[in-house]
Amino acid sequence: MKKSIIIAATLAAPMYGQVAIAQNAPRAGNAIEEVLVTARKRDESLQGVPVAVTAVSAEEMAANNVATIADISKLAPSLDQREGRKQGAFSIRGVGQVRLNEVQADPGVAVYMDGIFLARNDSQLLDTVALQSVQVLRGPQGTLFGKNSVGGAILVTSKEPAEQLAMSFNSRLDTLGQRDLQVSMDVPLIEDRLLSRLTLASVKSDGYAEDDDTGRHLGDDDRLVASLQLVWRISDTLSMKSLAYFNKQDENISPHYCQQITLTGAMSYARTPGRSETYNEVCSESEKLIGTEKVKTENFGSVFTSRDALFGNTLTWDVGPGTLTSITSYVIKGDNFSDFDFDATDLLSVGNTSHVRDQLKRQGVYDDEGGRYTLGQEIQYTGTAFSDKMNYTVGLFASWESLDRQLSGQSTNEEGWVGFESLPGLPSLNMFCGLLPEDCLYVRGINTASLSSYDNTSYAAFSQLTYDILPSLQLTAGLRYSYEQREIHVELFDSQTVPPILGIPLPPSIPITVMTETQFNQLDGTEIELSRGDTRNGELDFERLSPMASLSWNASEHFDMAGVDDLMLYASVSEGFKSGGFNVLSTGIGSFDPEYVVSKEIGFKLDALDRRMRLNMALYSSDYKDIQVVVSTVPSLGAPELYTNNAGLAKMEGVEMELKWLLSDKWMLNASGNYIDAEFLEFDDETLDPITGAPTSVDRSDEPFPFIPKYVYNLSANYTTQTRFGVIDFVLSRNTRAEQFIGGDSAAGRPEFRDSATIKGFSTWSARLSWVPKDRDNVSLSLYGNNITNKEYIATGSAVYSGFGTNSITLGKEAHFGLELKYEFAD
């Protein structure tokens, strides 16, 4: 086998978003060769595209231990994903969707699989099995794509069927109980005409923490994936690619811990029937388990289950001077359920909707049949004009999405009863029962639920053209019209109120009573019944005209610069738009407005030193208007609720860099990273008094921007050598992230709490050693390790101090090492 680290596009018929590393390709003078991308819907060299784009092949993903597309964030500047989450929830340049309840808001970063838009965050976290490449496009994307995306786009391309009968096998084992298996088979059904590829994969692991009570593994993997592709070359001018993709997922959420910060939260002194500890006490016990691979959270729920099916058909027809493409898709999410224990303790179960689900099942209201589907149709025509001086794309897009009976609910524990040893704003309990022989508690019942059905309709017309003003000077302009309609139907369920027991009524505006310890503990096992409440409907419409323009110049064609092989400079401005939507709260339906981003960017792409060094850089400034942020409130002594609000104005400025440097025929250095300065200019929020529910305005514009590290960078060295035993390849990488603010409410953003609501930066190291035996280039064996220095770090979290007074944090995985075997056979 001839060793190669050349990056090249070699497939005969590149499809949407395709890029590959060529195997066994000769090295042209030990140079970094061309990367072919289709970021602008046509085959172009990465170095000639005036777009900030990162292209990662399947081989590069394997070399960097990438298991899901979330791990691409270690390679692509400005791409971020909250580690440990089962949802995608990607952001690019600080723009994206971090909400856990993914059905109520559109993602800010669009993910396309073979051109098919994946509409919700909980369908975006794709495994890398059967993938050919991933492209990450930074900044607003809409004038070339079906769905508008305010932050950027991730283009995922699956491997195409081979021309001949072939089979591949991939197996992986590691010290966290990872046991993955993948089998792919390429079968030509009609020679040179009808090709097929079937992939079956199982991804399993034991997780990386155990529940202290039950031994249940958290942060585990349990997925089954099946993919069937057909490529039919109907004629010389007409071809069709069909895809059927299935995913079955049954997993527990990642382990998370409680950190006690302040005792001023509404739930700080909360208790549940039958237990004497308060919330702040059990939080402190949870905190003691950090670093022990044990966790104390609820013994039920906290799961992520899903059944997904995707069917897509892409028809490509060469017509006249261009190509007509039709992309039809149907995406189904069947049995799906996810919850999350926001309070991160085994006392409360705020955010864990398992109890509410089971109760509605017993009442015959909920039957797990609430499903989702998305039907999409995109038609685009790409062609040339004016003696090939102009390239253009025009297109139409429509999607119809239905989400039926999506469950949400608000409760504090299984029974729904919560007691308080004290509450801010209320007098000491001694005033009510100081003469009694036992202590008293403020008590209220919290148990609500809702079943929400959504119908989302999107229509768009988009166009973009590129004109060669000079052979070295290009002008690109684009325009998009978007129309979004949102409809919602909500069935609300509520619970009975708690009558006064001691005969000492509180003001009617305070929905609580007073009980003795004995009376409160007698509620253990007594469930608050749900009763059907109001049915509410809502409808919203949004439309927007979004432009873009860019100018690129190949300076190397005019200036002879020492050591410079190619230098392309570009400048662009573009606007992104994301639809508004609905909030479903315990009090009913609310709404939030669309958000807008105007991004200005300048950059260059450089090949130098006889194409042994490649350096791409971009500087950008984004004006973010009506930014959709997740905030928390405590509605009148209820459990804290998360909802989406519009924050006014924000500004992001940053720089991105990617470097590849071929030092010799054996050594390659890679570096990538970004720096971002993000700040709110306007952020007017509203807080509710935890006792009366009365609203108060608060200015949060001086808070740090949440969930955005100021800088992230990745450094790696790749050594490859030919020995008498075969090819040895070694990669060592370091990924570094700065600290980030995780505040979820205005209390966490107050100056005295900001340090507590900020998680520390960290660096992790990974390595991979691969061996391809001599004269057996269809076999490879790899040893790999992630977080090899066993760094203990907080991956992500949330800080809600008005409600809990605590941080809920998710730790990253400890050091783990594995073995991977690949085998390929071709007839």
Side-chain angles (χ1 to χ4, degrees), residues 567-581:
L567 175 62
M568 189 267 286
L569 308 174
Y570 71 92
S572 67
V573 59
S574 58
E575 182 188 79
F577 158 80
K578 187 172 78 168
S579 172

Side-chain angles (χ1 to χ4, degrees), residues 506-584:
L506 295 173
S509 62
I510 304 178
I512 62 175
T513 188
V514 178
M515 290 184 180
T516 65
E517 289 261 11
T518 299
Q519 292 168 328
F520 179 64
N521 287 329
Q522 287 173 348
L523 297 174
D524 187 13
T526 303
E527 184 179 77
I528 298 177
E529 291 294 325
L530 285 168
S531 59
R532 190 180 294 274
D534 296 337
T535 298
R536 301 188 182 183
N537 299 286
E539 182 176 331
L540 297 169
D541 297 89
F542 310 100
E543 59 181 340
R544 187 71 175 180
L545 197 63
S546 304
M548 71 79 59
S550 74
L551 191 66
S552 63
W553 179 46
N554 192 335
S556 57
E557 291 191 10
H558 294 270
F559 300 97
D560 186 11
M561 294 169 276
V564 174
D565 303 300
D566 277 308
L567 175 62
M568 189 267 286
L569 308 174
Y570 71 92
S572 67
V573 59
S574 58
E575 182 188 79
F577 158 80
K578 187 172 78 168
S579 172
F582 293 101
N583 287 307
V584 179

Side-chain angles (χ1 to χ4, degrees), residues 443-636:
V443 177
R444 81 156 297 185
I446 305 172
N447 199 20
T448 65
S450 63
L451 291 172
S452 305
S453 297
Y454 303 82
D455 288 297
N456 302 326
T457 304
S458 299
Y459 298 108
F462 55 92
S463 62
Q464 182 171 303
L465 63 87
T466 298
Y467 185 76
D468 295 337
I469 301 173
L470 298 171
S472 60
L473 185 65
Q474 285 188 337
L475 173 67
T476 301
L479 191 64
R480 176 191 182 87
Y481 171 76
S482 302
Y483 173 79
E484 307 277 346
Q485 183 182 67
R486 300 287 183 263
E487 297 181 36
I488 189 171
H489 173 79
V490 180
E491 302 173 68
L492 296 173
F493 299 84
D494 208 339
S495 56
Q496 63 185 18
T497 57
V498 181
I501 289 182
L502 297 184
I504 306 174
L506 295 173
S509 62
I510 304 178
I512 62 175
T513 188
V514 178
M515 290 184 180
T516 65
E517 289 261 11
T518 299
Q519 292 168 328
F520 179 64
N521 287 329
Q522 287 173 348
L523 297 174
D524 187 13
T526 303
E527 184 179 77
I528 298 177
E529 291 294 325
L530 285 168
S531 59
R532 190 180 294 274
D534 296 337
T535 298
R536 301 188 182 183
N537 299 286
E539 182 176 331
L540 297 169
D541 297 89
F542 310 100
E543 59 181 340
R544 187 71 175 180
L545 197 63
S546 304
M548 71 79 59
S550 74
L551 191 66
S552 63
W553 179 46
N554 192 335
S556 57
E557 291 191 10
H558 294 270
F559 300 97
D560 186 11
M561 294 169 276
V564 174
D565 303 300
D566 277 308
L567 175 62
M568 189 267 286
L569 308 174
Y570 71 92
S572 67
V573 59
S574 58
E575 182 188 79
F577 158 80
K578 187 172 78 168
S579 172
F582 293 101
N583 287 307
V584 179
L585 302 171
S586 59
T587 54
I589 301 176
S591 65
F592 53 92
D593 295 328
E595 66 178 18
Y596 312 90
V597 171
V598 176
S599 179
K600 300 173 283 292
E601 178 179 333
I602 60 172
F604 69 82
K605 297 188 176 184
L606 169 71
D607 278 352
L609 306 180
D610 294 327
R611 302 192 185 278
R612 297 169 65 89
M613 187 182 77
R614 174 166 295 163
L615 176 63
N616 297 342
M617 293 193 70
L619 289 86
Y620 65 88
S621 176
S622 300
D623 297 311
Y624 209 170
K625 181 181 178 183
D626 293 334
I627 174 175
Q628 296 170 7
V629 295
V630 178
V631 295
S632 174
T633 189
V634 184
S636 187

Side-chain angles (χ1 to χ4, degrees), residues 140-360:
Q141 306 291 326
T143 57
L144 281 175
F145 294 93
K147 182 68 175 178
N148 200 3
S149 53
V150 68
I154 300 175
L155 313 182
V156 178
T157 304
S158 60
K159 290 183 179 178
E160 285 194 20
E163 298 279 350
Q164 71 278 4
L165 180 67
M167 177 177 290
S168 64
F169 169 88
N170 188 327
S171 181
R172 183 172 59 169
L173 302 171
D174 79 6
T175 54
L176 288 179
Q178 196 80 41
R179 46 200 186 277
D180 299 351
L181 179 64
Q182 175 187 338
V183 178
S184 296
M185 179 177 290
D186 297 272
V187 180
L189 302 177
I190 302 176
E191 185 177 1
D192 296 331
R193 286 292 182 181
L194 184 59
L195 311 176
S196 70
R197 179 180 175 87
L198 174 66
T199 300
L200 302 175
S202 171
V203 180
K204 291 182 180 293
S205 77
D206 292 338
Y208 57 105
E210 289 185 1
D211 182 86
D212 195 44
D213 296 325
T214 65
R216 181 175 64 146
H217 294 275
L218 299 178
D220 64 324
D221 297 303
D222 190 354
R223 301 187 292 278
L224 295 174
V225 178
S227 173
L228 175 64
Q229 297 161 274
L230 296 174
V231 172
W232 184 16
R233 296 165 183 164
I234 303 171
S235 69
D236 291 340
T237 59
L238 184 64
S239 64
M240 185 172 69
K241 179 179 178 179
S242 300
L243 170 67
Y245 182 91
F246 305 92
N247 178 71
K248 179 178 180 288
Q249 194 166 353
D250 293 286
E251 300 173 345
N252 297 315
I253 65 171
S254 297
H256 54 296
Y257 299 85
C258 189
Q259 287 183 318
Q260 182 62 55
I261 304 299
T262 175
L263 297 177
T264 60
M267 309 297 287
S268 293
Y269 293 95
R271 287 173 47 183
T272 59
R275 294 186 61 171
S276 60
E277 314 101 303
T278 59
Y279 172 67
N280 69 80
E281 292 171 338
V282 295
C283 176
S284 297
E285 290 301 309
S286 171
E287 191 170 359
K288 293 176 183 178
L289 294 176
I290 294 176
T292 66
E293 299 179 19
K294 298 284 188 179
V295 67
K296 273 187 175 293
T297 53
E298 296 295 334
N299 296 335
F300 53 86
S302 298
V303 297
F304 187 95
T305 63
S306 185
R307 306 290 184 269
D308 300 278
L310 180 153
F311 304 95
N313 192 75
T314 301
L315 191 67
T316 305
W317 185 20
D318 293 333
V319 182
T323 301
L324 179 68
T325 303
S326 168
I327 304 173
T328 305
S329 62
Y330 185 57
V331 182
I332 306 170
K333 181 172 280 289
D335 241 1
N336 69 93
F337 183 78
S338 62
D339 56 15
F340 191 86
D341 190 11
F342 290 116
D343 59 88
T345 71
D346 64 348
L347 182 74
L348 304 178
S349 57
V350 178
N352 188 334
T353 54
S354 297
H355 290 315
V356 176
R357 175 198 60 185
D358 294 343
Q359 187 173 359
L360 291 179

Side-chain angles (χ1 to χ4, degrees), residues 579-787:
S579 172
F582 293 101
N583 287 307
V584 179
L585 302 171
S586 59
T587 54
I589 301 176
S591 65
F592 53 92
D593 295 328
E595 66 178 18
Y596 312 90
V597 171
V598 176
S599 179
K600 300 173 283 292
E601 178 179 333
I602 60 172
F604 69 82
K605 297 188 176 184
L606 169 71
D607 278 352
L609 306 180
D610 294 327
R611 302 192 185 278
R612 297 169 65 89
M613 187 182 77
R614 174 166 295 163
L615 176 63
N616 297 342
M617 293 193 70
L619 289 86
Y620 65 88
S621 176
S622 300
D623 297 311
Y624 209 170
K625 181 181 178 183
D626 293 334
I627 174 175
Q628 296 170 7
V629 295
V630 178
V631 295
S632 174
T633 189
V634 184
S636 187
L637 283 178
E641 289 185 312
L642 296 179
Y643 65 97
T644 301
N645 191 19
N646 294 96
L649 294 175
K651 191 174 189 67
M652 281 92 161
E653 295 178 327
V655 58
E656 300 159 344
M657 180 272 292
E658 292 180 281
L659 171 69
K660 289 183 180 292
W661 193 350
L662 185 59
L663 299 178
S664 70
D665 62 347
K666 295 181 178 180
W667 283 99
M668 169 80 87
L669 294 182
N670 292 276
S672 62
N674 64 273
Y675 175 86
I676 182 171
D677 181 20
E679 63 174 338
F680 290 111
L681 303 179
E682 295 178 9
F683 188 177
D684 296 324
D685 195 13
E686 186 177 82
T687 62
L688 302 180
D689 186 282
I691 305 299
T692 65
T696 302
S697 297
V698 57
D699 181 4
R700 299 177 59 181
S701 59
D702 65 338
E703 285 186 20
F705 212 94
F707 305 110
I708 300 180
K710 274 192 173 293
Y711 61 85
V712 178
Y713 65 84
N714 188 76
L715 303 173
S716 70
N718 180 201
Y719 176 77
T720 307
T721 185
Q722 177 81 53
T723 73
R724 62 191 182 95
F725 302 105
V727 175
I728 302 294
D729 186 84
F730 178 68
V731 180
L732 178 66
S733 301
R734 169 182 165 137
N735 183 259
T736 298
R737 298 171 62 83
E739 65 182 20
Q740 58 180 300
F741 180 66
I742 59 171
D745 66 352
S746 60
R750 282 159 38 190
E752 64 268 31
F753 289 134
R754 287 180 190 172
D755 287 344
S756 299
T758 300
I759 60 177
K760 295 179 180 179
F762 59 88
S763 296
T764 57
W765 291 82
S766 65
R768 188 179 188 92
L769 178 64
S770 299
W771 170 53
V772 177
K774 186 176 182 180
D775 300 325
R776 293 292 302 274
D777 58 3
N778 61 335
V779 178
S780 68
L781 184 67
S782 300
L783 295 172
Y784 67 89
N786 291 316
N787 191 14

Side-chain angles (χ1 to χ4, degrees), residues 8-15 18-22 36 43 132 157-161:
T10 60
L11 298 182
M15 297 297 289
Q18 184 167 291
V19 60
I21 287 183
L36 186 70
D43 302 337
Q132 177 66 37
T157 304
S158 60
K159 290 183 179 178
E160 285 194 20

